[in-house]
Amino acid sequence: MTDIWHEGGSGMKMFVKRLASLRLTLAVMLLFAAAAAAGTFMDIYHSWWFRGLLLLLSVNMLSCMVTRLPAIFSSLKGDAALRRRPLLRIPGGRDREQSLVSDLTAAGYRRRGGTDGKVFSRGAAGYVFTIAGHLSLLVIMASAMIGSYMGFIGTQRVPVGDFTDTYFNWKIMADAPLPFRLSVIDFKKVPNPVALKIGVRETKTGRKGKVITTHVSGDLKVPGLDGRVRILSFDVEKKILKAMWVKGNGDRIPVRGGEEVGDSGLALVPVAFAAFPEKQASAQTAISRDGSVLVTADIEVNHPLRFEGLSFYMTDYGTDPFGHPYVGYQIVKDPARIGVWAGCVFFLFFMTASLFVKHRCVVLVGDGEFTAVHLSSRGDRERAVDELKAALSRFIHLDDAEGFSGHD
């Protein structure tokens, strides 16, 4: 049987190497970015080509892991360290070697298996974290694939005070039944307070004073008035300001824009205003079956109702051509949502942990008169050499010791 894995850089080995290409990763990620942009306007997450991208990225991630495993095992076994020239050759035979082992153990190195010399390593968990991070990406991809096959996105507009038992399914591009009634009991909007600029004017001279920025329901300090002034309302059509002056002694005096405030000789004049869209909108929604209400909830933007594996988002509201108010819902089924979120959390945790845990492997090789110290490291080589220098500092200045270099 022909061994296509080791056959002259071709066959299976070359195929896997190409699948693990960084260029392929970047190309697929760019396509994902384009798909995400398109997904703002259309449902592409259940299309065959989006699933193909998920599969291709999963294969790319898996191939990256496979191609990295030989290097990881080589580093763990000490083979990578032995391929580098010794950093230090220490005289003294077996007695000195035991002292080396003692110092390495004190520095956090642990004895590992290995056939050539004595192998000690530290931070092997860093490789575990890296592999776990890649596996987390595969969990995300697999969950997204499951969601693409088993999930759907639908929309429906429901008049306030009415109900629906169907929705438009964007996966099949047709109406589909709901297993219950979705009703809109009530709809309300919470307006933002009107922003105001109020000028202070002397009523006798007409001289203008400070301009104060505030809003309806705001409580402000006005120069020349003891206590505080609370803005009660502002009619944006008639430009009428109403407020209340709460004096320092607790007395309350009504205030009207442009008129003198009590006997203070000052008037508050609206200079400018800004009316913003509503602060929040809320749809009181009920789900019922066979005449029984199963659940009610106030659905707001980014605060959906979840029921029987479905999520109901309020994405639209307004009035129809006859002036009747309605609420627009997005209905989402995503059975793998937990898997995606769990994969994201695990990926961030493991990849962050891998940045702080770096593997170091030291191999001691004795030849009778000397013990050679070999080192392989993951990450900053110079730092790894400095750490080893600190651990073996008492051997570096021996008269018969041979050099210590990190530039091998």
Side-chain angles (χ1 to χ4, degrees):
M1 181 179 293
T2 303
D3 185 356
I4 63 173
W5 181 264
H6 297 285
E7 190 178 77
S10 59
M12 186 64 70
K13 186 175 181 180
M14 183 59 66
F15 179 68
V16 173
K17 185 176 180 181
R18 288 182 177 177
L19 285 176
S21 167
L22 179 60
R23 291 182 179 180
L24 178 60
T25 305
L26 293 175
V28 176
M29 294 304 292
L30 288 174
L31 289 174
F32 263 112
T40 306
F41 307 100
M42 63 186 76
D43 177 23
I44 53 88
Y45 301 111
H46 301 98
S47 62
W48 64 267
W49 60 267
F50 182 77
R51 294 168 187 162
L53 284 178
L54 287 174
L55 180 61
L56 184 58
L57 185 58
S58 300
V59 172
N60 176 253
M61 293 292 106
L62 187 59
S63 300
C64 288
M65 287 178 54
V66 170
T67 56
R68 284 289 300 150
L69 287 177
I72 291 175
F73 291 142
S74 175
S75 181
L76 291 173
K77 291 192 302 180
D79 296 340
L82 289 174
R83 286 195 292 268
R84 294 179 175 271
R85 67 182 181 87
L87 291 178
L88 179 67
R89 284 170 55 85
I90 300 174
R94 183 172 297 277
D95 293 340
R96 187 60 56 73
E97 186 177 291
Q98 292 302 318
S99 298
L100 277 168
V101 171
S102 176
D103 284 8
L104 287 172
T105 302
Y109 287 85
R110 296 293 179 263
R111 182 73 176 267
R112 304 294 181 190
T115 56
D116 297 319
K118 294 179 173 60
V119 180
F120 299 83
S121 71
R122 188 181 72 183
Y127 284 126
V128 177
F129 292 149
T130 300
I131 294 174
H134 283 77
L135 290 175
S136 299
L137 284 177
L138 293 180
V139 170
I140 296 172
M141 297 298 105
S143 299
M145 184 73 74
I146 293 172
S148 178
Y149 273 104
M150 301 180 63
F152 63 79
I153 296 177
T155 53
Q156 185 61 286
R157 283 182 173 178
V158 184
V160 176
D162 205 346
F163 71 89
T164 183
D165 52 13
T166 64
Y167 69 99
F168 184 82
N169 189 317
W170 288 90
K171 185 176 181 178
I172 61 175
M173 299 300 292
D175 287 334
L178 285 170
F180 40 70
R181 283 186 172 186
L182 179 68
S183 306
V184 182
I185 301 173
D186 192 16
F187 177 76
K188 57 185 178 182
K189 295 186 286 186
V190 179
N192 274 304
V194 177
L196 292 166
K197 285 187 176 181
I198 297 175
V200 181
R201 186 182 65 195
E202 295 180 0
T203 55
K204 290 184 178 181
T205 64
R207 189 170 63 179
K208 298 177 181 179
K210 183 177 181 180
V211 175
I212 304 171
T213 300
T214 184
H215 57 82
V216 173
S217 76
D219 192 10
L220 62 145
K221 177 69 176 175
V222 178
L225 297 178
D226 66 321
R228 310 208 40 105
V229 174
R230 175 171 289 276
I231 307 301
L232 300 179
S233 65
F234 180 75
D235 189 326
V236 297
E237 298 291 336
K238 299 179 180 180
K239 312 297 188 297
I240 296 176
L241 173 69
K242 292 183 179 180
M244 182 68 69
W245 176 25
V246 183
K247 303 178 71 172
N249 60 8
D251 291 344
R252 295 172 176 267
I253 299 185
V255 177
R256 189 178 178 90
E259 298 179 0
E260 185 175 3
V261 180
D263 56 358
S264 65
L266 300 175
L268 301 183
V269 181
V271 175
F273 73 93
F276 299 102
E278 57 272 3
K279 182 178 182 180
Q280 186 58 278
S282 175
Q284 187 178 5
T285 306
I287 292 177
S288 59
R289 184 186 289 130
D290 299 328
S292 300
V293 177
L294 304 177
V295 64
T296 60
D298 290 328
I299 301 179
E300 300 176 350
V301 175
N302 298 324
H303 292 83
L305 166 64
R306 305 190 193 280
F307 182 76
E308 293 187 353
L310 299 177
S311 297
F312 297 87
Y313 296 86
M314 182 176 66
T315 57
D316 183 25
Y317 54 84
T319 55
D320 63 20
F322 302 99
H324 299 144
Y326 67 83
V327 175
Y329 292 94
Q330 184 181 76
I331 304 168
V332 179
K333 180 180 180 181
D334 188 1
R337 178 173 56 92
I338 295 178
V340 172
W341 281 108
C344 291
V345 171
F346 289 145
F347 175 76
L348 290 175
F349 172 78
F350 287 124
M351 296 309 294
T352 301
S354 70
L355 296 176
F356 293 95
V357 181
K358 302 297 185 182
H359 181 249
R360 312 282 191 249
C361 185
V362 174
V363 180
L364 304 180
V365 180
D367 59 3
E369 297 181 2
F370 288 87
T371 299
V373 180
H374 299 257
L375 171 69
S376 66
S377 60
R378 177 174 174 263
D380 189 341
R381 171 83 178 167
E382 186 175 346
R383 180 177 177 180
V385 171
D386 290 339
E387 291 174 353
L388 188 59
K389 282 183 180 181
L392 305 180
S393 58
R394 61 173 170 154
F395 301 105
I396 296 176
H397 302 295
L398 291 175
D399 291 340
D400 297 327
E402 297 183 1
F404 203 118
S405 172
H407 304 287
D408 55 333

